[in-house]
Amino acid sequence: QVQLVEFGGGLVQAGGSLRLSCAASGGALSTYAMGWFRQAPGKEREFVATINLSGAGTYYADFVKGRFTISRDNAKNTVYLQMNSLKPEDTAVYYCAAKKFGNILTPMVMDYWGKGTSVTVSS
C-alpha cells in the first residue's frame, strides 16, 4: 500500500500558473506509473496526464497539451504537475494516482489515489 497526498492547489487568475505536488509514502514510487486526474464541479473525473516509471515517458489529455507538464523525482518519492496558462475550465479537484508497474502505453486502472487538492481559476 502506498499513500498519496497532494499539495499546491489554490486560487489563481486565468493565465496564471500553479505547481501541484504528490508526495508518496509506504512504497518506492519508482515502481509505479503515476497520473493526474481532475473532477470539475458537477462533472465526472477525467484524465489529465501520466508518466512512466523512470519519468522518461509522458502522455497528456488533448486539452492540457502545451500547458501542463507532469514530472517525477523518484529519489524524493514525489510527482509534480506544472500547470501554466490556466483557464477557468481547469477549475477542479486534482487527484494524484499510482499504478504498480503500470504501462502508460496501454489503458490503466489506477490502484491508489490521493484525496485531491482543489484548483480554482478565476476569469
Side-chain angles (χ1 to χ4, degrees), residues 2-3 8 12 14 16 18 23 25 28-29 31-32 35 49 58 61 63 67 69 92-93 98 103 105 111 114 119:
V2 63
Q3 294 79 47
V12 64
L18 284 174
S25 61
L29 207 61
T31 62
Y32 295 84
T58 58
F63 54 81
R67 300 190 299 124
T69 302
V93 176
N103 182 355
L105 300 179
D111 295 325
V119 173

Side-chain angles (χ1 to χ4, degrees), residues 16-76:
S17 298
L18 284 174
R19 190 190 196 196
L20 306 183
S21 300
C22 174
S25 61
L29 207 61
S30 60
T31 62
Y32 295 84
M34 302 297 298
W36 287 96
F37 298 76
R38 71 187 189 186
Q39 187 168 22
K43 296 184 178 180
E44 296 184 350
R45 186 175 299 181
E46 63 183 351
F47 163 77
V48 175
T50 55
I51 188 166
N52 70 1
L53 276 63
S54 70
T58 58
Y59 182 74
Y60 298 91
D62 287 342
F63 54 81
V64 302
K65 287 181 179 178
R67 300 190 299 124
F68 291 9
T69 302
I70 186 171
S71 61
R72 67 192 299 160
D73 186 340
N74 286 337
K76 296 181 178 179

Side-chain angles (χ1 to χ4, degrees), residues 76-116:
K76 296 181 178 179
N77 262 12
T78 302
V79 178
Y80 306 95
L81 184 68
Q82 179 67 47
M83 305 186 295
N84 299 326
S85 301
L86 283 162
K87 305 174 181 179
E89 51 263 45
D90 294 319
T91 296
V93 176
Y94 283 72
Y95 297 90
C96 176
K99 176 68 173 180
K100 185 78 168 180
F101 298 116
N103 182 355
I104 66 169
L105 300 179
T106 61
M108 294 188 295
V109 178
M110 310 306 285
D111 295 325
Y112 305 99
W113 294 83
K115 293 183 178 180

